[in-house]
Amino acid sequence: MERSTVSEEQVAEQSTGAAYSFAAMEAKWPAVWDELGVFAPKDDGSRERRYVLDMFPYPSGDLHMGHAEAFAMGDVVARYWRLRGFDVLHPIGWDSFGLPAENAAIKRNAHPAEWTYANIETQAASFKRYALSLDWSRRLQTSDPEYYRWTQWLFLRFYERGLAYRKNHPVNWCPKDQTVLANEQVVNGACERCGTPVTKKALNQWYFRITDYAERLLNDMTELEGHWPERVLAMQRNWIGRSEGAHVQFVVEGTDAKPQHEVTVFTTRPDTLYGATFFVVAADSDLAADLVAPEQAQALADYQDRVKALSEVERQNTDREKTGVFLGRYAVNPLSGEKLPVWAADYVLADYGTGAIMAVPAHDQRDLDFARAFGLPVRAVLDTGEDDPAVSGIATSGEGTIVNSGPLDGLSKAEGISKAIEIVEAAGTGEGTVNYRLRDWLLSRQRFWGAPIPIIHCDVDGEVPVPDDQLPVRLPDDLRGEQLAPKGTSPLAAAEHWVNVTCPRCGRPAKRDTDTMDTFVDSSWYYLRYLSPNYTEGPFDPDAAKNWMPVAQYVGGVEHAILHLLYSRFFTKVIKDMGLIEADEPFAALMNQGQVLNGGKAMSKSLGNGVDLGEQLDTFGVDAVRLTMVFASPPEDDVDWADVSPSGSAKFLARAWRVAQDVKSAPGSDPASGDRALRATTHRAIAESEELLDAHKFNVVVAKAMELVNATRKAIDSGPGGGDPAVREAAETVAIILSLFAPYTAEDMWAALGREASVANAQWPQHDPSLTVEETVTAVVQVAGKVRDRLEVTPDITEENLRELALASGNVQRILDGRGVRTVIVRTPKLVNIVPA
RNA sequence: GCCCCAGUAGCCCAAUCGGCAGAGGCAGCGGACUUAAAAUCCGUUCAGUCAGGGUUCGAGUCCCUGCUGGGGCACCA
């Protein structure tokens, strides 16, 4: 350690005369790019517009490896399209409302805005260092009053259309965060954010009527087919959960109701109506309480208490024993006239279908489990050739012939379904229908740091919308620390000066709604606000939307496959129905980047396997980190940081950069006189890169760039030398391709090549097809599928000629050894397969 | 339980229409340069495509079955 050390850069300087220094480049170029204003769209209609969008970040601390990957991918698309001559919009902003800011504020006795905006500044600085080709002039934050004013404005338009409403309903409640959660935010019975088991609580809450749009959300996915990852579409389809079936009305006897109490069930299998042997309503539904006979009321109440005591995790366990209670009533099967005992059970869900089912134990496993638990009859009405469910304990539900079913006897499953629907429709006791798994979107939150719901509650006028000219309803800025702590009601309720207002309609004292909106509301329309971030006449300028929508390429993580993407699709459709935009879908194409792992696992504090982005950037430079992200695998695959080599990327970048230093010809020299072989490599790289970029195979594009750098190096060292114009052409091509992944190195190369900044403004080179055709091609000659000879032929050889050449081959003749030839398959110019007799 | 996706070299990954399994990188090995090392440059080893069946003149690619891994949904009638 006594020896004096020499820095890598000094050594490089000694050996090559110049040094590749990422630090110098990172210090030099950002100012130049700013000055040139390269990344703002012209927006004048002179070029075709393309909107590239990355999912905007939540400002929790600084950027991490995941951001680095996602934004590297989006930037490749934006930069490529810019080089191809499109007018590219590539904006950035922050999804800046949300719980972590509030929790931080409580801990530090501060206002959430302080933490939020400090983090945003940190992230903004990191984004700039990361050299993303963003238009900073459109930056927005969803927690800015000028943004959430329009979130509130949109809420009111939804309200006017009947798409925002309040109902009293059991909701998912997170006891830790002290707030309600949407269905989409409950994962395996636990809070998506903090993992606390979710409980149910009956509360009066705000909902968006997304179920009205279920059919359109489902059908319009055909437009996205091929442009969105198949698994995301599958997840959305799954989530929407369309199922066809029938509503069938059962009269429940013995209640005091007049006319008699009718209960509708939803079933996907009306063909099995004759197999119904009992009837079940959801234990926690109003229906159970309405129907119960007086002598069973106490039993029901006891059962309901037992159900309530279960956590959601326990309740959702499908292995659980079936439980339930008889309600002392009978429901009449409208087809058979049979009287079925009515039970309440927790395996029937209150908020799916109608909250009541006809139980067909022979052909539904859950019903069968219940029947066996309580000794209820099992009657098969579908002969599938399998064992009798009453004996086997296994319900049968496949194709079969209907039996024991009066008018349905002898029909197939499908025929039985249509016939049964026909019969109940004719009798007025039911109808064919479509049911969805999707529930309405619960949007109110009992927390502070979100957009206040712009409604005033008046004793006389009820719910009164805040008039548009009084928007935004600003959050009070004088609450601090403990005043923001969750108490089960919104902290806003305690801010009396804020809550107490006069009714806009009658002028009497009234109170503001104290809930705030789910932050997914904020992010459901931000892509529209970017189009005209300073527009004051509405949430966005409709003309701008006409010009830019839909987003041509959206980039983000698959964790938003349902939540954000479904909500945004819903918002777009409603906004279209309001006449403000023409697009049906917000995001024409979607790319999901994979995760960044370390050692096969997601990075996490508890595992201690986190990799700090800042340290990586300091060690290897921005370009090497970006290149590593892109080169590691196709964009949608995970990158395991333990498997990749940022130092290898840095080495390659230095190698590419040195190639530019070794170019000796003048800028603008005509490549036509240059080395033909190198030119062929260059033009092939251009042509292949285009296809690969269109197919999002960015990792392969990097490989092509490496190949081209290797060929150029060889041409300089042991070929025509650095003065050959083909070497310049190759080096310039490398710089342009690299500008997609490694903007600093590319810009520095461009400058070394004597070209004017910025390489981001360069044109994508046109490849010359005459250079990419091979002069000769190797044709493979197979006998019975095995390679037996190779022939050098011209690419345009005729089938006839190639066949003759192949058959004449000495090797072929020897292998054939006198055997005749059955067939000869010729695929000019690359292959001949001779099939012996 | 149901639904998606993926298995190619020690590792990360390529392979238009079904047509010679290999473009690129990491790691390894050898060499040049050096007193030595680093850096740089040059060269090079390594798999028959998870398994089994099928279609085909020909299968990594298409079909079926299974295995492994990953993901989503899950008492949704």
Side-chain angles (χ1 to χ4, degrees), chain A residues 48 54 57 59 177 179 210 286 306-307 326 388 402 459 471 492 568 572 609 694 713 733 781 802:
Chain A
E48 192 185 322
D54 306 274
D177 290 338
T179 187
I210 191 172
D286 295 342
R306 266 170 61 205
V307 170
F326 177 53
D388 182 0
I402 296 169
D459 287 342
L471 298 180
L492 284 171
S568 296
T572 297
N609 66 340
D694 291 336
R713 179 83 259 157
T733 301
V781 183
L802 186 56

Side-chain angles (χ1 to χ4, degrees), chain A residues 133 173 305 367 511 771:
Chain A
S133 64
W173 177 262
D305 287 344
D367 295 344
K511 288 184 188 300
L771 286 167

Side-chain angles (χ1 to χ4, degrees), chain A residues 133 378 643:
Chain A
S133 64
V378 177
D643 290 337

Side-chain angles (χ1 to χ4, degrees), chain A residues 588-599:
Chain A
L590 173 69
M591 175 161 60
N592 286 138
Q593 87 283 358
Q595 285 188 77
V596 186
L597 312 174
N598 190 17

Side-chain angles (χ1 to χ4, degrees), chain A residues 162-486:
Chain A
L163 293 171
Y165 68 97
R166 267 196 322 164
K167 70 174 172 188
N168 206 337
H169 195 75
V171 296
N172 303 306
W173 177 262
C174 174
K176 176 152 182 288
D177 290 338
Q178 296 274 304
T179 187
V180 299
L181 300 171
N183 265 324
E184 290 81 355
Q185 291 163 345
V186 179
V187 180
N188 293 327
C191 172
E192 170 219 31
R193 185 183 307 281
C194 66
T196 309
V198 165
T199 60
K200 287 278 180 185
K201 200 168 176 174
L203 285 172
N204 196 13
Q205 296 287 314
W206 286 98
Y207 291 82
F208 279 141
R209 214 178 288 279
I210 191 172
T211 51
D212 274 12
Y213 283 74
E215 191 75 40
R216 278 166 71 184
L217 287 167
L218 190 68
N219 290 342
D220 289 352
M221 266 186 250
T222 53
E223 268 179 54
L224 307 176
E225 210 84 53
H227 307 286
W228 278 38
E230 190 47 52
R231 62 170 172 163
V232 174
L233 295 176
M235 280 189 247
Q236 293 215 354
R237 272 191 208 101
N238 206 329
W239 191 262
I240 294 168
R242 182 182 198 272
S243 56
E244 288 182 5
H247 277 149
V248 182
Q249 281 121 39
F250 285 66
V251 169
V252 176
E253 293 186 329
T255 63
D256 297 334
K258 280 180 187 146
Q260 282 180 303
H261 212 127
E262 279 198 345
V263 179
T264 303
V265 302
F266 173 72
T267 176
T268 56
R269 296 298 303 273
D271 56 320
T272 62
L273 258 161
Y274 280 86
T277 55
F278 57 101
F279 193 94
V280 191
V281 300
D284 56 344
S285 65
D286 295 342
L287 211 47
D290 289 352
L291 293 178
V292 70
E295 64 275 14
Q296 287 298 96
Q298 188 56 46
L300 175 64
D302 292 347
Y303 179 61
Q304 285 174 327
D305 287 344
R306 266 170 61 205
V307 170
K308 225 174 276 174
L310 291 175
S311 73
E312 275 301 287
V313 180
E314 287 167 322
R315 216 191 65 76
Q316 287 180 11
N317 177 9
T318 49
D319 302 334
R320 227 173 91 235
E321 284 284 301
K322 290 282 180 288
T323 60
V325 62
F326 177 53
L327 294 183
R329 302 288 188 200
Y330 292 86
V332 181
N333 185 329
L335 242 64
S336 65
E338 192 178 356
K339 288 185 185 181
L340 311 177
V342 178
W343 289 67
D346 66 354
Y347 83 93
V348 172
L349 307 175
D351 55 0
Y352 179 77
T354 61
I357 62 157
M358 62 172 201
V360 184
H363 308 301
D364 183 294
Q365 192 60 48
R366 296 154 301 178
D367 295 344
L368 183 55
D369 293 343
F370 192 84
R372 288 162 78 90
F374 292 98
L376 294 160
V378 177
R379 183 167 64 239
V381 292
L382 185 73
D383 182 6
T384 62
E386 293 160 283
D387 294 342
D388 182 0
V391 179
S392 67
I394 297 164
T396 58
S397 57
E399 296 297 327
T401 308
I402 296 169
V403 295
N404 295 328
S405 296
L408 305 180
D409 278 351
L411 299 179
S412 70
K413 174 178 163 179
E415 292 163 347
I417 289 172
S418 358
K419 180 75 177 175
I421 290 173
E422 220 172 273
I423 294 171
V424 292
E425 282 182 351
T429 54
E431 65 201 335
T433 186
V434 172
N435 196 55
Y436 296 93
R437 212 193 71 115
L438 183 69
R439 314 289 155 88
D440 277 341
W441 171 10
L442 170 55
L443 72 103
S444 40
R445 296 290 179 274
Q446 290 68 52
R447 299 295 301 241
F448 173 80
W449 192 232
I453 291 173
I455 293 285
I456 290 168
H457 298 284
C458 168
D459 287 342
V460 179
D461 295 307
E463 288 169 5
V464 181
V466 172
D468 285 358
D469 60 12
Q470 291 174 29
L471 298 180
V473 176
R474 284 172 176 269
L475 287 168
D477 52 17
D478 55 351
L479 297 185
R480 287 286 180 285
E482 268 308 305
Q483 291 170 297
L484 300 172

